[in-house]
Amino acid sequence: MSSGTAVAVSKTQLDELNPFLSMSKRFDTAADHLGLDSGVREVLRTPDREVTVAIPVQMDNGQLKVFTGYRVQHNFSRGPCKGGIRYAPDVNLDEVRALAAWMTWKCSVVDLPFGGGKGGVICDPRKMSMGELERMTRRYTAAIMDVIGPDRDVPAPDVNTNEQTMAWIMDTYSMHMRGTSTAIVTGKPLALGGSKGRTEATGRGVMLSVREALKKMNFNVANPRVVVQGAGNVGGLGARLLQEQGCKIVSISDIDIAIYKPEGLNMVDVLEFIKKHKTLRGYPNVQQLTHAEQLLLDCDILVPAATENQITSSNAERVKAKLIVEGANGPTTAAADAILEAKGVVVVPDILANAGGVTVSYFEWVQDRAAYFWSEAEVNTKLEQVMVRSFAEVDATAKKYKVSMRIAAYILAIDRVAITYRLRGTYA
Ligand code: GLU
């Protein structure tokens, strides 16, 4: 084995970065608080079904390429599985498993009648044409046809998938079913039965979580300084909504770069720039930072809204924010939780903070099934009610059990799923 300059990574470090182990650690802590018996504990932590499929795709150059796709259904005690599909080169089964479990807890925290699922395809969408993406999406849909459905499992967008991806899934499923099935996916274009307010729903939920957290912390600074990691649907739109609420967005990043402006960025302008150039690189009159530097900036609020494992045992001690609101799924490792807690940093966990997206997905599913559509104001008002109520319930649970908001959210979520599971019983 070559010694080279490679940095040795210990098993502990690898384990810390395994999202399923990270999820399981929090699950165990919450289950201990609930005194959950070992049988139910095992049922609730084990994914109900994991499907791996081969997806052959004719590429534009005429060659056939086989992609690997997953759909994991973690738990459907409370209703059909619900959760997004992501396209990325580093998708793997342990990640999809963790994301599926997080969907179960997320839907439960905000009390939606859904279980949790997640899908992923290993691919690099930035290097694929629209035609290739369409053929891959349709073949993936056909491959998982038997396990999805409006009453079984309802996919939605996630990292690198969008309205168009959902439109292809909806059409492929509908063609197989010989009828138009709108409730098969959420996050669809409005013209296909999408919901008003869905695109910005996750960002809106993040903004509401920030607002509720600041109230709880009695944090009365006029224009809190916010650092946002990620400039997509969650980070970008969330930052714009936070700015509308009086926050000063001092830094934002995308996959290429982080930009910093201590006086505050104009988010409308930043989003225009990204739309036009497809990158933040080259945005004028700002300092450029690396992603690692961005997370350690002096600020009041940090919103990690990109991907997993950003705040770890290696940088948590140096994070300066007083409040972290997790727009992404799993941005903080379980090892980092303890460090942040000891520093007194308030963390609004992913399964609460980013639940706005799936909440409006639920509204979309309800509207599709009723074939009756709501106004944007109605959607936003109902979303606000769900987020405010859920935040208060998590906060009350944290006080009752004397735990962090993260463990409180798990306690609340696991308890609800366990109650349903016990009532339904074990079919033999
Ligand atoms: N992908 C989003 C999430 O992680 C939305 C899932 C959904 O709407 O089903 O919450």
Side-chain angles (χ1 to χ4, degrees):
M1 213 175 160
S2 122
S3 55
T5 49
V7 182
V9 181
S10 72
K11 164 127 184 17
T12 324
Q13 281 167 313
L14 274 181
D15 282 356
E16 180 183 349
L17 301 183
N18 178 319
F20 193 72
L21 293 180
S22 250
M23 188 288 297
S24 304
K25 261 210 154 93
R26 280 85 169 238
F27 173 89
D28 281 335
T29 309
D32 286 345
H33 281 284
L34 286 167
L36 211 64
D37 70 76
S38 61
V40 174
R41 199 183 276 235
E42 202 179 338
V43 169
L44 297 193
R45 70 151 46 176
T46 312
D48 275 315
R49 175 151 53 188
E50 300 181 348
V51 180
T52 302
V53 294
I55 310 165
V57 177
Q58 178 99 46
M59 304 305 278
D60 291 347
N61 65 6
Q63 298 237 306
L64 260 181
K65 192 167 168 181
V66 181
F67 295 88
T68 302
Y70 305 104
R71 184 75 190 170
V72 175
Q73 297 173 336
H74 173 256
N75 189 288
F76 47 75
S77 295
R78 288 171 51 87
C81 293
K82 188 82 195 78
I85 292 170
R86 63 172 57 180
Y87 290 169
D90 54 357
V91 162
N92 62 75
L93 192 51
D94 258 343
E95 181 196 36
V96 181
R97 245 180 220 144
L99 290 161
W102 279 324
M103 286 310 301
T104 304
W105 313 136
K106 192 187 300 185
C107 292
S108 181
V109 168
V110 289
D111 212 4
L112 307 180
F114 286 139
K118 201 79 170 200
V121 178
I122 307 170
C123 64
D124 190 349
R126 296 234 285 186
K127 298 203 176 113
M128 293 170 72
S129 70
M130 280 293 269
E132 289 168 345
L133 283 170
E134 175 171 359
R135 292 191 290 280
M136 186 182 80
T137 302
R138 288 186 182 275
R139 183 61 189 248
Y140 170 64
T141 308
I144 59 167
M145 266 298 288
D146 293 337
V147 300
I148 59 172
D151 288 308
R152 287 186 183 151
D153 181 0
V154 184
D158 198 79
V159 175
N160 294 329
T161 56
N162 54 28
E163 285 194 353
Q164 180 60 71
T165 324
M166 297 306 114
W168 291 327
I169 296 178
M170 180 270 199
D171 181 68
T172 307
Y173 184 86
S174 295
M175 293 310 288
H176 280 262
M177 299 307 280
R178 304 287 188 262
T180 296
S181 175
T182 51
I184 174 60
V185 278
T186 58
K188 297 178 294 294
L190 273 182
L192 300 185
S195 176
K196 297 210 167 93
R198 174 63 186 87
T199 311
E200 60 177 47
T202 315
R204 184 172 290 278
V206 167
M207 177 273 283
L208 293 166
S209 299
V210 168
R211 191 189 76 186
E212 294 306 294
L214 292 179
K215 272 192 226 160
K216 161 186 145 81
M217 292 163 71
N218 274 328
F219 190 87
N220 284 322
V221 173
N223 304 104
R225 293 159 307 153
V226 186
V227 169
V228 181
Q229 184 193 47
N233 245 9
V234 187
L237 299 182
R240 203 199 67 211
L241 291 167
L242 281 167
Q243 185 165 55
E244 283 170 16
Q245 296 294 314
C247 288
K248 196 198 278 184
I249 312 298
V250 293
S251 173
I252 191 158
S253 62
D254 68 359
I255 192 162
D256 295 323
I257 198 143
I259 58 171
Y260 177 51
K261 188 170 183 180
E263 316 82 75
L265 295 155
N266 175 341
M267 275 314 301
V268 175
D269 197 54
V270 170
L271 293 181
E272 276 294 312
F273 185 92
I274 296 176
K275 205 167 161 193
K276 193 157 161 211
H277 301 275
K278 308 271 175 269
T279 177
L280 268 176
R281 207 185 282 282
Y283 188 78
N285 307 323
V286 290
Q287 293 175 46
Q288 296 198 354
L289 303 174
T290 64
H291 291 106
E293 289 166 340
Q294 190 207 19
L295 293 173
L296 306 179
L297 279 172
D298 187 19
C299 65
D300 300 305
I301 307 167
L302 174 60
V303 179
T307 186
E308 296 103 65
N309 297 333
Q310 299 304 301
I311 305 167
T312 67
S313 55
S314 333
N315 63 1
E317 194 58 57
R318 289 171 291 143
V319 165
K320 296 190 190 65
K322 299 160 195 76
L323 169 65
I324 298 178
V325 177
E326 297 183 333
N329 292 310
T332 309
T333 64
D337 279 352
I339 301 171
L340 296 171
E341 215 179 326
K343 276 167 51 121
V345 179
V346 175
V347 180
V348 185
D350 45 8
I351 57 174
L352 171 63
N354 71 37
V358 74
T359 300
V360 176
S361 274
Y362 166 58
F363 298 158
E364 179 173 334
W365 181 80
V366 168
Q367 292 170 77
D368 287 338
R369 291 169 74 105
Y372 180 77
F373 292 87
W374 311 348
S375 70
E376 186 160 355
E378 210 170 338
V379 170
N380 289 346
T381 306
K382 286 191 160 78
L383 170 62
E384 181 165 358
Q385 285 164 355
V386 170
M387 292 304 297
V388 170
R389 184 200 67 218
S390 307
F391 191 99
E393 284 178 344
V394 170
D395 192 33
T397 309
K399 291 193 172 106
K400 179 172 163 198
Y401 287 87
K402 301 191 178 35
V403 292
S404 65
M405 286 199 78
R406 179 171 333 268
I407 296 303
Y410 274 73
I411 290 176
L412 190 64
I414 293 169
D415 195 31
R416 285 182 179 149
V417 181
I419 288 170
T420 317
Y421 181 76
R422 286 196 200 94
L423 282 170
R424 286 180 64 157
T426 306
Y427 177 71

